[in-house]
Amino acid sequence: MTSPESPATSDVLQGLNPAQQEAVETIDGPLLIIAGPGSGKTRVITHRIAYLVRDCNINPRRILAVTFTNKAAREMRTRMERLVGPRSENLTMGTFHSFCARLLRMDGSYLNVPQNYTIYDAEDQLSTIKQAMELSEVDPKRNPPQAIRSVISKAKSLLQDSQAVSKFADNYFEETCGQVYHHYEEILARNNALDFDDLLMKSVLLLQEIEEVREDYQRRYQFLMVDEFQDTNVAQYKLAQLLAGGHHNICVVGDPDQSIYSWRSADIRNILSFQRDYPDAQTVSLEQNYRSTAVILEAAKGLISANGMRLDKDLFTDNQQGTPLVIHEAYDAEDEASFVINEVDRLVRQERFKPGSCAVLYRVNAQSRALEEACLRRGMKYRLVGGVRFYQRREVKDLMAYLRVLHNPLDEVSLSRVVNVPSRGIGAKSMQDVVAWAQKQDIPLLAAMQRISALRKNSNETAMEPSPLSARASTAVARFADMIDGLIQQSEELHITDLINLALEETGFRMFIQNSDDRPDERWENVLELRNTAREFNAEEPRDGLASLLERLSLVADVDGYEESDDSMTLITLHQAKGLEFPVVFIVGMEEGLLPHSRSMDSETELEEERRLCYVGVTRAQQRVYLVRAFRRGFFGASGPTKASRFLQEIPSHLFATPLATQGGTAPRRPSIDIGEPFIPTPVKGQTTPSRPTLKTGDSIRHATFGEGVVMECVATAGDHEVTVEFSEGVGVKKLLLSYAPLELVVG
């Protein structure tokens, strides 16, 4: 390594504070950077890379930087272009999943992973799990597919295969999950498909088992940087360790106080134990906050100091003192929303804030309803982050399914999605017959369709077996198979946009959309937007082709599409707000049962994560923070009084504009903030208290609001039972008290 210039001669170090400069200049061996909110961690990462390239003469090809969102990766890439110039193109920079996707495209053959594999999203996974459940003869009513998907996903994040799940199962439900997991993997393999968790798990397996590949990547990447390290799971940390195994030049950047993704299998122990795993690691703390006022920062510090699982740091700021925090108690959710909209309107009219400066943060998506309705009534423009994702819209998924089949003809999930879109006379019964025939013949689904086409063309040849379909259905299937064959041949020659144009015409999809009765103009605009995305991609990377385009589109996340706007306020969950900042932040639903969430009440570990989530919300703010709660809120189908969040008491009272004790808000004669008994909803008038069913792990239940689910755990508490339930239909895991939760045991 060429010796670097002295700090005095390096312009890369200019403008950095002493701690930032130390982090940039520490380049040899393991390094832990504890980066508080607003402390300039992206600046440190990019300047550290620039320092390696410009001052230490490190080849950019030897540097790998991974983060968690495409948005963060794009921001990092943009900054590197300014700092390093054209040489930045040789840097490897992206998300864990995008890096692993490329790794498996190049070297996955060692594990029998084909280059043309398809990445299945959550919807595709669910469809595949349902198939696996049929093979396992598992009843979906008693075992919700969403719950099984959750178990499988967590197992993969822990690097556990189906055998491990079955071997270490604690109950019948987990045994069932192990069986389904086995068949699920078989179906994925038959479809040349991987799910998101496979990208990580198989990459780790590849580096562990294939010494040649591991040593090749260790030689190539001499410097590894991992952003948002507190959000890594077991698989991601193991991947980083394997990549850094040869040189130990691993730099991890994160903040345990911002670890909020345990439900996504993130493990806070990774960052807390980094120094144990790397005893020679150096530690640098970035403690100067450049984002928030002194008042906001002091409030955040007071809040998070109640946590035990953390690494000490002493945040400070040179920013102005700022405006005290505002706490407001509304009567109900509607009144809460009205207060927020009125206050945003006042800030815009009287204090010259822009609507886009304001963000409303909430714990659960359902809280957006009242806020959206209030915005619509007042004519307030807003952006809802995390609604129906563009790439999940029906027409977009349909067109992408066609492209996926052209790229990977073994992808039966995509094939089944579009075989009769638009309608071409191939009904559900015909498809069932084709699938059964394909299984009997032990051939892929498209190959079975091609064979039916061949049988139709050679109907006079008695040597060939009879078609499993009627003459009419055979004709329809044959035409579809021939069309797909033609497009596959064309896909090898055409540019992506030309291929999309051809597919739109040959499949009849364009006419189908434009002549539909369901918002044809809007749906066609979505198709054109996808085509435009492909055109832009083709201009950027014309040689990468269809495989890379599908890979990129499969790895897009909700927040990746977030763009700042001056004229629209933002509605966003606390989880999605991570990594963003706003001049004005409203956190609504500051109540026991919402923030902290009810499922965290009996677990100190989960309660600490809820406190970290609130901390993340407060530290998104640059100038103003509003903490809002409702005196009454509908919950579990009942409406009752709430108790203020304990987090409000943990923020020093002198930081509020009005002392807590005088905050009555719009609740009539209601003392303001009273942390008392836990929230027990008042039943709706005329509602009878349901009897308590006797429940055990694996039982199927039905909830009046959340629908059907499966019991994951049932624990006796003081005078009650707490039931952990994995609900279907995207509801997720809920913790309920049996005394008032309307649960019905599903028998049979």
Side-chain angles (χ1 to χ4, degrees):
M1 180 187 305
T2 304
S3 203
E5 301 176 21
S6 67
T9 63
S10 176
D11 61 349
V12 173
L13 303 176
Q14 292 180 6
L16 301 179
N17 66 38
Q20 291 175 331
Q21 184 171 319
E22 182 184 358
V24 167
E25 292 185 290
T26 305
I27 59 174
D28 292 319
L31 173 64
L32 169 62
I33 302 175
I34 303 172
S39 61
K41 70 177 179 67
T42 304
R43 179 179 176 87
V44 167
I45 294 171
T46 52
H47 279 248
R48 189 172 188 270
I49 295 173
Y51 185 78
L52 286 168
V53 174
R54 292 171 51 180
D55 294 58
C56 303
N57 294 322
I58 301 298
N59 188 329
R61 285 179 50 82
R62 300 288 182 256
I63 301 171
L64 168 63
V66 289
T67 187
F68 273 80
T69 67
N70 294 308
K71 184 176 185 295
R74 285 198 304 269
E75 182 183 355
M76 214 177 284
R77 175 72 67 180
T78 300
R79 293 195 189 190
M80 290 312 309
E81 288 173 355
R82 293 197 299 266
L83 288 168
V84 180
R87 285 184 293 176
S88 67
E89 295 178 1
N90 294 321
L91 294 166
T92 302
M93 197 174 289
T95 65
F96 271 103
H97 288 93
S98 64
F99 172 78
C100 290
R102 293 296 180 96
L103 171 66
L104 293 174
R105 295 253 186 237
M106 295 178 63
D107 296 298
S109 58
Y110 287 98
L111 300 181
N112 296 318
V113 176
Q115 283 191 324
N116 66 331
Y117 69 81
T118 299
I119 302 173
Y120 278 0
D121 63 16
E123 185 181 340
D124 302 321
Q125 290 175 45
L126 200 58
S127 174
T128 308
I129 282 176
K130 289 176 180 176
Q131 293 180 43
M133 291 175 70
E134 289 181 16
L135 293 174
S136 305
E137 298 182 346
V138 173
D139 184 0
K141 292 182 178 179
R142 295 186 60 84
N143 302 276
Q146 292 89 344
I148 294 177
R149 181 179 65 188
S150 178
V151 171
I152 294 174
S153 177
K154 183 164 186 174
K156 289 187 176 184
S157 75
L158 295 171
L159 303 174
Q160 296 175 346
D161 58 17
S162 61
Q163 289 182 327
V165 172
S166 298
K167 182 179 179 180
F168 298 108
D170 291 328
N171 51 60
Y172 177 74
F173 177 69
E174 291 182 1
E175 288 180 7
T176 300
C177 290
Q179 297 170 17
V180 176
Y181 187 179
H182 174 72
H183 289 294
Y184 174 69
E185 289 298 289
E186 289 182 336
I187 297 171
L188 287 178
R190 191 167 66 243
N191 285 254
N192 278 356
L194 304 177
D195 61 28
F196 290 113
D197 299 300
D198 281 329
L199 297 176
L200 299 171
M201 185 177 179
K202 289 187 179 296
S203 293
V204 169
L205 189 64
L206 175 64
L207 295 178
Q208 281 180 325
E209 294 190 354
I210 310 300
E211 183 180 2
E212 174 188 346
V213 176
R214 181 176 66 253
E215 291 179 349
D216 182 52
Y217 279 88
Q218 288 176 348
R219 281 194 300 271
R220 173 169 178 180
Y221 297 116
Q222 294 294 305
F223 293 89
L224 170 64
M225 272 166 275
V226 183
D227 191 16
E228 303 288 2
F229 187 63
Q230 77 280 344
D231 295 332
T232 54
N233 59 30
V234 169
Q236 288 161 331
Y237 189 18
K238 187 63 181 179
L239 179 73
Q241 289 177 310
L242 287 165
L243 290 169
H247 47 73
H248 288 257
N249 292 326
I250 177 172
C251 170
V252 300
V253 186
D255 181 9
D257 290 342
Q258 299 184 71
S259 178
I260 59 174
Y261 294 115
S262 66
W263 53 276
R264 228 166 45 188
S265 300
D267 194 337
I268 192 174
R269 292 173 298 182
N270 289 347
I271 191 168
L272 294 175
S273 63
F274 183 81
Q275 293 165 303
R276 182 198 65 199
D277 297 339
Y278 295 93
D280 58 333
Q282 300 183 66
T283 301
V284 178
S285 294
L286 306 181
E287 298 177 332
Q288 183 169 1
N289 178 286
Y290 294 93
R291 175 184 300 155
S292 306
T293 64
V295 166
I296 293 172
L297 193 61
E298 189 176 352
K301 289 167 62 177
L303 173 67
I304 202 63
S305 64
N307 272 6
M309 296 179 64
R310 55 193 305 263
L311 298 175
D312 287 337
K313 58 182 179 295
D314 186 17
L315 299 178
F316 69 95
T317 184
D318 291 337
N319 294 341
Q320 62 183 3
Q321 185 69 12
T323 305
L325 280 67
V326 174
I327 181 170
H328 180 82
E329 184 178 61
Y331 182 74
D332 56 17
E334 284 66 33
D335 190 39
E336 178 183 63
S338 293
F339 166 76
V340 170
I341 304 307
N342 288 338
E343 188 62 12
V344 171
D345 184 62
R346 188 192 69 78
L347 290 170
V348 171
R349 287 187 295 103
Q350 298 182 12
E351 301 195 37
R352 303 198 175 197
F353 283 95
K354 295 177 180 178
S357 301
C358 303
V360 188
L361 281 51
Y362 39 85
R363 179 63 177 84
V364 298
N365 279 303
Q367 291 175 262
S368 72
R369 179 200 56 81
L371 293 161
E372 288 187 81
E373 290 178 357
C375 287
L376 293 170
R377 284 196 303 270
R378 292 289 299 274
M380 176 78 68
K381 289 186 177 180
Y382 70 94
R383 282 173 303 168
L384 179 65
V385 181
V388 179
R389 292 171 51 188
F390 175 79
Y391 295 106
Q392 295 299 316
R393 293 169 184 168
R394 176 159 48 98
E395 59 277 5
V396 175
K397 282 217 66 173
D398 288 342
L399 182 53
M400 286 179 60
Y402 272 116
L403 296 176
R404 287 162 64 168
V405 170
L406 302 185
H407 175 62
N408 174 17
L410 295 180
D411 182 357
E412 296 182 2
V413 170
S414 296
L415 184 67
S416 299
R417 181 183 181 95
V418 296
V419 69
N420 206 40
V421 179
S423 178
R424 46 177 63 94
I426 307 174
K429 178 61 169 62
S430 295
M431 279 303 298
Q432 289 175 2
D433 292 340
V434 177
V435 169
W437 193 64
Q439 292 173 347
K440 183 180 178 181
Q441 303 268 341
D442 195 24
I443 57 176
L445 184 56
L446 182 60
M449 292 180 168
Q450 292 166 333
R451 186 170 293 184
I452 289 171
S453 177
L455 289 172
R456 177 175 167 273
K457 294 172 183 175
N458 298 277
S459 57
N460 295 327
E461 297 184 16
T462 56
M464 299 192 74
E465 71 269 36
S467 171
L469 304 176
S470 67
R472 184 175 179 179
S474 292
T475 299
V477 167
R479 286 175 177 170
F480 175 78
D482 293 346
M483 176 193 69
I484 294 296
D485 284 345
L487 288 171
I488 290 173
Q489 293 176 19
Q490 295 277 0
S491 69
E492 299 173 1
E493 306 292 334
L494 294 175
H495 284 242
I496 297 172
T497 48
D498 294 330
L499 178 62
I500 290 175
N501 289 333
L502 181 65
L504 287 171
E505 298 301 326
E506 291 292 314
T507 63
F509 194 69
R510 179 179 66 83
M511 293 294 295
F512 168 66
I513 295 294
Q514 292 179 340
N515 294 333
S516 75
D517 297 326
D518 182 18
R519 302 170 288 105
D521 293 342
E522 179 185 337
R523 295 179 67 197
W524 180 243
E525 286 175 1
N526 290 334
V527 171
L528 293 179
E529 180 61 24
L530 178 61
R531 188 175 67 178
N532 187 57
T533 300
R535 181 182 291 112
E536 292 173 354
F537 177 85
N538 202 49
E540 292 174 19
E541 303 182 63
R543 293 175 296 176
D544 275 12
L546 186 56
S548 294
L549 173 66
L550 292 173
E551 178 185 300
R552 177 183 292 189
L553 298 184
S554 296
L555 299 176
V556 172
D558 291 352
V559 76
D560 291 334
Y562 176 83
E563 299 290 343
E564 295 182 2
S565 171
D566 287 339
D567 65 348
S568 301
M569 62 182 292
T570 298
L571 307 181
I572 188 170
T573 68
L574 284 156
H575 284 98
Q576 292 169 326
K578 177 92 179 312
L580 304 177
E581 61 183 31
F582 307 89
V584 181
V585 165
F586 295 81
I587 303 179
V588 298
M590 292 292 299
E591 303 138 29
E592 296 287 290
L594 267 182
L595 188 65
H597 198 279
S598 58
R599 65 170 172 252
S600 69
M601 295 302 190
D602 294 325
S603 168
E604 188 61 31
T605 299
E606 293 183 15
L607 185 60
E608 288 204 359
E609 178 155 332
E610 290 291 301
R611 187 174 288 109
R612 293 194 294 268
L613 186 59
C614 188
Y615 173 81
V616 165
V618 171
T619 56
R620 298 310 92 196
Q622 298 168 308
Q623 301 175 38
R624 303 285 181 88
V625 171
Y626 293 80
L627 303 174
V628 191
R629 60 157 301 206
F631 171 69
R632 300 180 70 87
R633 191 178 298 273
F635 207 61
F636 297 134
S639 177
T642 69
K643 294 295 179 181
S645 170
R646 68 191 70 192
F647 300 153
L648 294 172
Q649 284 284 43
E650 294 171 355
I651 296 173
S653 59
H654 70 274
L655 300 175
F656 291 113
T658 307
L660 298 184
T662 65
Q663 286 291 329
T666 56
R669 295 185 298 277
R670 168 82 172 146
S672 82
I673 302 303
D674 176 24
I675 308 294
E677 297 299 316
F679 167 49
I680 301 177
T682 302
V684 177
K685 187 176 181 181
Q687 180 180 4
T688 59
T689 301
S691 61
R692 304 186 192 180
T694 302
L695 299 176
K696 61 183 185 299
T697 301
D699 280 347
S700 294
I701 57 90
R702 186 178 292 108
H703 187 281
T705 302
F706 303 135
E708 293 189 351
V710 64
V711 175
M712 310 294 288
E713 189 178 27
C714 188
V715 180
T717 61
D720 208 335
H721 285 78
E722 182 189 81
V723 188
T724 304
V725 182
E726 176 85 29
F727 286 99
S728 53
E729 305 302 327
V731 175
V733 176
K734 305 284 185 186
K735 284 193 176 182
L736 313 173
L737 288 179
L738 201 54
S739 62
Y740 63 82
L743 299 182
E744 174 190 351
L745 181 63
V746 179
V747 182

